[in-house]
Amino acid sequence: MHSARVVKVLVDTNARRRGIGRRLISAVSDLARKEGKTLLTLSTATGSAAERLYASEGWQRVGVIPGCVLAPDGHIARRPSFTSISNAA
């Protein structure tokens, strides 16, 4: 199979703004390429720092899934989806 889904990339609140998330998503992408994956997908919270991070790393926003997430405060949230396409190693 040529594709994979990134399920979770989490950085502790106290460790944010230090480039850890950027290094994690880079490591995930590198591993995927080594495994022959050329299409990665993921989703994140609308308006989050993660959404900005993925866009800045070249991931393409491919849509928004409305009403698919129950947010911590109890409201139903939208979730943008992203994809990254690369050549296998």
Side-chain angles (χ1 to χ4, degrees), residues 27-75:
V28 166
S29 297
D30 290 346
L31 177 60
R33 273 191 298 280
K34 288 177 186 170
E35 295 292 322
K37 307 301 182 192
T38 56
L39 174 66
L40 297 177
T41 61
L42 60 78
S43 60
T44 191
T46 301
S48 68
E51 183 177 13
R52 292 183 296 278
L53 169 66
Y54 300 136
S56 75
E57 287 294 302
W59 289 66
Q60 299 298 308
R61 185 173 172 158
V62 293
V64 175
I65 304 168
C68 73
V69 177
L70 181 60
D73 66 2
H75 81 277

